[in-house]
Amino acid sequence: MRHRFYFLLAGMLAFLLTLNFSCSPPPKKITVPKASERIQVEEKNQPPEATQPQAAGAAAQANPPAAEPAKTEPEVQDSPAQTEEVYSLVQEAQAALEKGELDRALNLLDQAYSVLLRIEAPPDSDLYQEKNDLRIMLVQKIQQVYAFRLPAPISNHKTIPLVENSWVEREIKSFQTVEKKFFEEAYRRAGLYRPMIIEELKKAGLPVELSWLPLIESGYKPRALSRARALGLWQFIASTGYRYGLKRDKFIDERMDPVKSTRAAIKYLQELHDFFGDWSTAIAAYNCGEIRVQNVIRAQKIDYLDNFWDLFANLPYETARYVPRFIATLLIIENPEKYGFNLPQPEPALAYETVIIQKPTRLSQLASRLGLNQDLLIQLNPELRHDSTPNYEYELRVPPGYAEQTGACLAELPSWIPPEAVFGWHTVRPGETLGLIARRYRTTVQAIVRLNNLKSARLIYPGQRLKIPGRAQGLTPAEDDGGPPPTGQVQVPAGNENLTYVVKAGDTLYQLARSFGISVDKIKKDNNLSSDVLVPGQKLVIKTN
């Protein structure tokens, strides 16, 4: 019953905040009710209409607001100042939460939400996206406060239950056969990062078994990029990374930094566990998002959630596989001989020291001056998008013993200017939409709208030339654009051209069909496939004509 109470409360909170943002911009002066008074939970066996006013009154009596002198709310400020004010209030709320001052934390989050409502931003602006990300962050922080108010879930917080069932056995079988090479290589790379991850997990008091999550997320590749644009060891999408403080700009993307992304992932996992009360469900939510899991739980016909396997069958296919794959990984690593594995020796952990750099410098030039292989500097600094330092103060990681020498070399190296964003041209064909074009070139509708200064995502016409971010086969290059597409990017065929696609672990025919804008039946027909089973390393011919 406790879980139902909490999930209903969280769902109502998310709905109300979303509703506010779907309405027209608020006037400059507005009185916003407290989030703790807006979000109430219906009593069992009573309709929501009857219980919400009563609950709101009880909450107001139990937590009367502190007396404050009357004051006039200030006029709308400029948006950057308002976003900074939201961040500041959230930080104060977090500090209050850590001290156990729950009412004060809620009050500060109410203030942050009130400031957020006053931010006016057009839908096609960067500020609009930032406003939406802040809304999500506030939802999560308020949920976290309510999680502290509830009794601690009765579960073992330090261990992950290793359930052995047919789903887990199926994933073990996959690791033993078609994915065996992937598993062993990922296990070997794990040695580079697991000591650091384990240290961070111990600091947070989380199970050290979570250090194996990157094996199924990214194979311990810091620059791994998924079809959903999730990036890094822990496969953060941009919005989630932003929520947990991972910075992105034209020089760096901290989702690719092993240390910073690990700390962000630990915060996310900790909050998910606080929210759901068991590790299996928290890990599932890490894969598909807490809102998706909440929706599945609310759709259950039972009044409680005893364990993850109650909702397992109703989760998305990838998420339903995700937890069994993780359990299979732990079982194999715990007893490799039992499952026919002779695991390789893990690589030694990365060691480095840091140097403060004040100017943009190419890693290749610096490595040449230091007598190092540039791949080593890139491996130590994977968050650098252009393999060069930014034009602001930056802590560069260098091999042990090279810090002083690096500082001396920097004065002799020229400053490096990063390239401008590249793009190509696409000519709109009859029947095409921006959504179809965006999927074809593996970008987003918002990016195309922004790059072309379009007033609407719906108003395009045949013959119109659109700028498309990046390089992809089928695009007409821009005048200053040339060279091959970046590595790791899927090239989508145009016209009658064909593409040979190499299947990766976790690929399905349905996902590939959606990515390339064709049907599953067409892929099967073009490749003479008799079943839907794909094998990593298998080559498929993709025809869009």
Side-chain angles (χ1 to χ4, degrees):
M1 186 64 189
R2 181 177 64 249
H3 288 287
R4 186 185 182 194
F5 172 95
Y6 188 33
F7 295 134
L8 179 59
L9 180 146
M12 291 174 64
L13 172 60
F15 171 76
L16 287 174
L17 292 183
T18 304
L19 183 62
N20 270 316
F21 276 81
S22 65
C23 300
S24 58
K28 289 187 176 182
K29 292 185 178 181
I30 185 170
T31 301
V32 182
K34 300 183 88 173
S36 54
E37 297 172 355
R38 291 191 308 270
I39 311 306
Q40 304 298 334
V41 183
E42 65 181 22
E43 295 292 335
K44 187 175 181 181
N45 301 323
Q46 291 185 354
E49 293 80 358
T51 57
Q52 285 180 356
Q54 297 172 7
Q61 294 176 7
N63 298 295
E68 295 179 359
K71 59 182 179 180
T72 302
E73 192 167 335
E75 295 295 317
V76 175
Q77 309 166 19
D78 60 298
S79 296
Q82 288 176 302
T83 56
E84 289 301 321
E85 185 178 355
V86 172
Y87 284 122
S88 177
L89 288 168
V90 170
Q91 290 176 355
E92 288 186 54
Q94 182 65 35
L97 180 61
E98 291 172 356
K99 295 178 182 178
E101 301 172 357
L102 304 186
D103 289 333
R104 180 168 178 267
L106 272 180
N107 185 49
L108 289 165
L109 292 172
D110 282 327
Q111 295 177 41
Y113 180 66
S114 178
V115 173
L116 189 65
L117 283 178
R118 298 201 301 270
I119 298 177
E120 298 181 5
D124 58 348
S125 67
D126 292 337
L127 181 59
Y128 183 85
Q129 179 61 48
E130 183 176 6
K131 181 179 178 181
N132 189 56
D133 289 335
L134 286 171
R135 174 182 64 83
I136 295 172
M137 179 173 65
L138 284 174
V139 170
Q140 184 172 11
K141 291 298 181 185
I142 293 173
Q143 290 175 341
Q144 186 180 2
V145 174
Y146 278 103
F148 272 82
R149 279 190 160 178
L150 292 175
I154 302 174
S155 65
N156 190 336
H157 291 229
K158 303 299 181 183
T159 60
I160 298 171
L162 301 184
V163 178
E164 295 189 57
N165 54 30
S166 60
W167 296 94
V168 174
E169 291 172 0
R170 183 179 302 180
E171 299 303 328
I172 291 175
K173 182 71 172 178
S174 179
F175 285 141
Q176 288 173 325
T177 54
V178 294
E179 294 186 90
K180 188 168 186 177
K181 183 178 180 182
F182 158 79
F183 190 95
E184 292 177 343
E185 290 180 351
Y187 180 86
R188 177 176 48 78
R189 279 191 299 271
L192 296 169
Y193 309 105
R194 274 196 76 242
M196 174 271 298
I197 296 173
I198 290 174
E199 182 180 351
E200 296 293 334
L201 286 169
K202 287 181 177 179
K203 288 179 184 177
L206 300 189
V208 295
E209 292 93 336
L210 293 172
S211 63
W212 292 111
L213 265 181
L215 187 146
I216 60 174
E217 283 283 359
S218 62
Y220 288 99
K221 294 181 179 179
R223 290 184 169 181
L225 178 66
S226 75
R227 287 187 304 274
R229 315 305 293 173
L231 185 62
L233 279 183
W234 295 92
Q235 291 290 279
F236 276 105
I237 60 173
S239 58
T240 308
Y242 181 84
R243 285 164 56 189
Y244 291 94
L246 297 179
K247 179 181 176 181
R248 288 193 307 149
D249 59 28
K250 67 186 297 183
F251 296 98
I252 66 172
D253 191 327
E254 292 182 345
R255 293 179 294 167
M256 295 186 289
D257 183 279
V259 178
K260 296 171 185 174
S261 65
T262 293
R263 291 169 181 166
I266 288 174
K267 290 180 183 177
Y268 190 23
L269 286 165
Q270 197 164 26
E271 291 181 7
L272 288 172
H273 182 263
D274 289 342
F275 188 70
F276 291 106
D278 74 281
W279 279 115
S280 297
T281 310
I283 292 169
Y286 184 88
N287 179 255
C288 69
E290 57 268 41
I291 301 300
R292 186 70 175 268
V293 175
Q294 287 175 50
N295 290 338
V296 172
I297 293 173
R298 283 198 298 269
Q300 299 268 44
K301 294 182 180 180
I302 52 180
D303 291 340
Y304 55 86
L305 172 65
D306 280 337
N307 59 62
F308 164 78
W309 303 101
D310 286 338
L311 61 105
F312 167 77
N314 295 321
L315 290 170
Y317 175 73
E318 282 195 4
T319 304
R321 285 192 64 196
Y322 189 77
V323 175
R325 279 174 71 81
F326 180 59
I327 294 174
T329 299
L330 296 182
L331 289 172
I332 292 172
I333 291 171
E334 186 179 271
N335 193 350
E337 294 81 9
K338 176 182 176 180
Y339 300 101
F341 280 85
N342 183 18
L343 295 176
Q345 183 70 23
E347 294 186 30
L350 291 176
Y352 56 85
E353 51 192 29
T354 60
V355 182
I356 302 297
I357 290 186
Q358 303 285 351
K359 67 178 183 180
T361 304
R362 291 297 300 269
L363 294 186
S364 57
Q365 294 177 331
L366 179 59
S368 177
R369 290 293 184 94
L370 295 174
L372 296 171
N373 188 324
Q374 70 171 2
D375 291 340
L376 178 56
L377 288 183
I378 292 173
Q379 184 183 45
L380 291 174
N381 302 275
E383 69 175 357
L384 297 176
R385 298 179 58 192
H386 302 288
D387 296 335
S388 65
T389 59
N391 61 356
Y392 48 79
E393 184 174 288
Y394 180 77
E395 285 192 7
L396 182 72
R397 296 169 183 158
V398 296
Y402 279 84
E404 185 175 349
Q405 186 179 350
T406 299
C409 288
L410 287 174
E412 305 172 4
L413 293 175
S415 295
W416 180 76
I417 302 175
E420 295 297 323
V422 296
F423 64 89
W425 293 97
H426 172 83
T427 302
V428 179
R429 301 171 184 173
E432 285 187 325
T433 64
L434 278 186
L436 179 64
I437 295 170
R439 287 196 299 272
R440 180 175 185 178
Y441 296 114
R442 300 191 64 77
T443 183
T444 64
V445 171
Q446 292 80 3
I448 298 176
V449 169
R450 186 165 52 249
L451 187 59
N452 292 273
N453 295 318
L454 300 179
K455 295 183 179 179
S456 171
R458 299 177 181 273
L459 299 179
I460 62 172
Y461 53 86
Q464 182 179 6
R465 279 164 56 84
L466 296 174
K467 293 178 181 179
I468 308 296
R471 300 184 180 98
Q473 188 172 352
L475 285 175
T476 303
E479 292 182 0
D480 60 343
D481 189 14
T487 59
Q489 181 176 357
V490 176
Q491 300 180 10
V492 182
N496 295 322
E497 299 177 8
N498 297 334
L499 165 72
T500 299
Y501 178 82
V502 180
V503 176
K504 302 179 180 62
D507 281 343
T508 66
L509 283 177
Y510 173 73
Q511 294 160 344
L512 294 179
R514 287 193 62 185
S515 297
F516 293 109
I518 56 179
S519 67
V520 171
D521 291 339
K522 179 169 177 56
I523 297 179
K524 293 177 69 174
K525 180 180 177 182
D526 292 340
N527 292 273
N528 297 319
L529 300 179
S530 58
S531 74
D532 293 345
V533 177
L534 298 179
V535 178
Q538 178 182 0
K539 294 183 178 180
L540 298 176
V541 175
I542 304 297
K543 300 178 181 180
T544 58
N545 58 323

